Amino acid sequence: MMRINLLPPEILEKRRAEKRIIYVALLALLVFIVLAVVWVFAFVRVDAKQQDLDARLQEIQATQSKADMLAIFEDKEQDLQARQVIADAALADRMNWAKLFDEVSLVMPTDLWVTNFSWDEATGLTIDGYAVDSATDSPDLGHKSIAKMLVRLADLDDLYDVWLENAVKVEYAEQPAIQFSSTARVVTSTSSPSADATTTAVPGETSETSTPTATTP
Amino acid sequence: MNKLSSINQMIIAGVLILLVTVAVVAFGIMPLLQEASDIDTQMAEADTQMQTAEALVQRRLDAKARAAENEVALMQIANQLPESPELPSVIIELQDTANATGLDFVQITPAPLEDSEDGTYTIGSLVVVLHGEWADIIEYTRKIDKLSRGVRTTLGSFERVEETDEAGLTTSYISAQMTLEVYVMGSTATASSAQ
């Protein structure tokens, strides 16, 4: 059986156009809904992030306030460190003179005595004194006690460049004696045999020249 | 009047929908996404700031935990290098040390204060003269190194002195002249602590 539409073609076309308008309207509505959903989603996300950020900023502010309250302890510690540096600089390389004097006392030969003992951080020790010079000994021991003293002083860790300035036979309280004067330099962090070897070359005062004198009897 | 065909009407409607969609995306959605991205960046910066602040707090809490210890160390340094010369206390300490070692504290001559090379502290030199025995003088030099006030012995000399009394008896003692240095904290350190 054949189906026959008796409507004129204009009316058919009009009905098709009306249907298309409905589709287009539905499509527009769908697009609108999708866009609205996307916008709402983005808006909510931004809002949530903003709230997170605000909370985090408040937290930072609170932490910073706490840090500010504790700043005094760190300031005190920094002050301590600064003062410690100054104190260390002021008191650095203090020579332990008592130990050195003790050692010198212990190593000094018993047949000589000291009349003047002076010292200086920069220039070291100067020892003036007398040695016994027996008139009856044979062979004459003479200056050997002075040599013994020089050897012993040179063995001390805190001394270097041990040197004899002078030793001469004299009378002391109507007895024969040998008057002597010797010097030595003191080891510090800025003054030591190795340091001086590279910085000074004064004849008779360098470690190279002093060693034979200190060890030769 | 020319009426648009239905096909053209559809095309125009489609274009309009597309334009509206583009406009909404460009002016409504993209700014929001950009804003979200900006907030993410700010959040990352905030995280960094938070970590820095927390590290700062932790460091200062550690300093707080050491506060008592630091206070003791500060007191020790204040005794070693006070902020003023405090000459009377030095004299008392030197006299007490001389008494403790059996020496006669004969003379003290303070020199004017001098600034150190870098200006961070001031040096006060004192020339002291003591009379006594060799062993006592060694003990004295040992004890002054251990005083709470920082003292440095820079130079000195010992000399044996003989004296004959009215009865003709000869006695001897050692006369020790020593140059001691005491130190005063400089104004720089004092100013920093006052802040």
Side-chain angles (χ1 to χ4, degrees):
Chain A
M1 191 173 72
M2 193 175 168
R3 196 176 169 196
I4 299 170
N5 193 339
L6 297 175
L7 285 172
E10 298 86 11
I11 293 174
L12 283 175
E13 183 57 31
K14 190 181 174 188
R15 285 185 178 173
R16 282 195 206 106
E18 284 169 358
K19 276 188 180 175
R20 280 198 289 263
I21 286 172
I22 290 169
Y23 292 147
V24 168
L26 284 174
L27 177 69
L29 182 64
L30 184 67
V31 167
F32 174 76
I33 289 169
V34 168
L35 288 175
V37 166
V38 169
W39 186 85
V40 167
F41 177 75
F43 183 81
V44 168
R45 192 159 156 250
V46 165
D47 192 49
K49 279 175 183 281
Q50 188 63 51
Q51 283 180 7
D52 276 356
L53 179 63
D54 291 345
R56 183 55 61 94
L57 290 176
Q58 276 187 350
E59 207 177 335
I60 290 171
Q61 206 168 7
T63 310
Q64 195 62 51
S65 301
K66 191 177 174 186
D68 291 345
M69 279 168 56
L70 294 167
I72 188 166
F73 296 105
E74 200 174 39
D75 291 347
K76 278 254 180 195
E77 195 165 62
Q78 284 170 353
D79 179 41
L80 167 67
Q81 284 163 358
R83 283 169 182 266
Q84 187 70 61
V85 167
I86 293 171
D88 289 347
L91 299 169
D93 300 327
R94 272 195 298 180
M95 182 66 198
N96 187 351
W97 293 111
K99 174 175 168 276
L100 181 62
F101 297 157
D102 261 340
E103 288 176 350
V104 170
S105 304
L106 289 171
V107 302
M108 200 62 82
T110 52
D111 50 356
L112 53 78
W113 67 98
V114 174
T115 54
N116 193 302
F117 186 103
S118 59
W119 78 94
D120 186 335
E121 272 190 337
T123 56
L125 299 182
T126 303
I127 302 172
D128 299 332
Y130 292 89
V132 173
D133 182 23
S134 174
T136 57
D137 58 349
S138 179
D140 186 17
L141 291 175
H143 294 80
K144 285 187 180 177
S145 55
I146 310 267
K148 196 194 298 181
M149 177 195 71
L150 295 175
V151 171
R152 290 181 179 182
L153 290 178
D155 279 344
L156 296 181
D157 292 337
D158 289 332
L159 295 181
Y160 69 103
D161 279 357
V162 177
W163 193 254
L164 178 67
E165 296 291 323
N166 183 41
V168 58
K169 291 197 174 193
V170 294
E171 289 276 323
Y172 183 87
E174 298 177 0
Q175 297 288 323
I178 297 173
Q179 187 177 18
F180 70 90
S181 176
S182 68
T183 58
R185 298 190 70 185
V186 178
V187 175
T188 63
S189 66
T190 54
S191 167
S192 65
S194 54
D196 283 12
T198 57
T199 55
T200 61
V202 180
E205 289 191 359
T206 62
S207 57
E208 287 174 35
T209 53
S210 69
T211 307
T213 309
T215 54
T216 304
Chain B
M1 182 179 158
N2 287 333
K3 194 176 177 184
L4 288 171
S5 68
S6 65
I7 296 293
N8 286 340
Q9 285 176 353
M10 291 301 109
I11 290 170
I12 290 170
V15 169
L16 279 175
I17 290 169
L18 188 66
L19 284 176
V20 168
T21 305
V22 168
V24 168
V25 168
F27 298 110
I29 295 171
M30 288 304 286
L32 281 178
L33 295 178
Q34 183 60 45
E35 195 177 346
S37 170
D38 290 348
I39 291 173
D40 282 342
T41 310
Q42 288 176 29
M43 194 70 112
E45 285 172 7
D47 281 344
T48 311
Q49 285 178 9
M50 188 68 192
Q51 283 174 1
T52 310
E54 280 174 350
L56 185 66
V57 166
Q58 190 55 49
R59 207 176 64 210
R60 290 178 175 175
L61 280 173
D62 291 345
K64 186 183 178 186
R66 293 189 297 267
E69 191 183 324
N70 290 343
E71 204 62 38
V72 171
L74 263 175
M75 290 291 286
Q76 283 173 347
I77 293 173
N79 284 335
Q80 277 187 318
L81 270 78
E83 289 171 6
S84 63
E86 293 184 10
L87 191 57
S89 71
V90 177
I91 295 170
I92 290 168
E93 284 200 84
L94 293 178
Q95 181 66 62
D96 286 345
T97 310
N99 294 345
T101 50
L103 292 175
D104 184 13
F105 187 12
V106 178
Q107 185 182 342
I108 178 167
T109 313
L113 295 174
E114 284 177 15
D115 282 340
S116 64
E117 283 179 12
D118 58 2
T120 53
Y121 58 92
T122 309
I123 305 165
S125 287
L126 311 167
V127 178
V128 296
V129 177
L130 301 138
H131 291 173
E133 293 305 314
W134 172 249
D136 297 335
I137 288 170
I138 293 177
E139 186 61 19
Y140 182 83
T141 55
R142 182 177 291 117
K143 279 182 184 288
I144 58 172
D145 276 350
K146 292 178 183 169
L147 293 179
S148 57
R149 181 70 183 259
V151 179
R152 178 199 293 272
T153 312
T154 55
L155 62 103
S157 66
F158 302 143
E159 192 175 1
R160 181 159 287 282
V161 178
E162 292 190 346
E163 274 182 351
T164 307
D165 62 12
E166 292 169 354
L169 288 172
T170 303
T171 55
S172 69
Y173 60 86
I174 290 183
S175 173
Q177 177 174 309
M178 294 192 273
T179 302
L180 310 178
E181 280 184 355
V182 292
Y183 304 96
V184 179
M185 189 61 75
S187 53
T188 316
T190 313
S192 73
S193 69
Q195 285 173 354

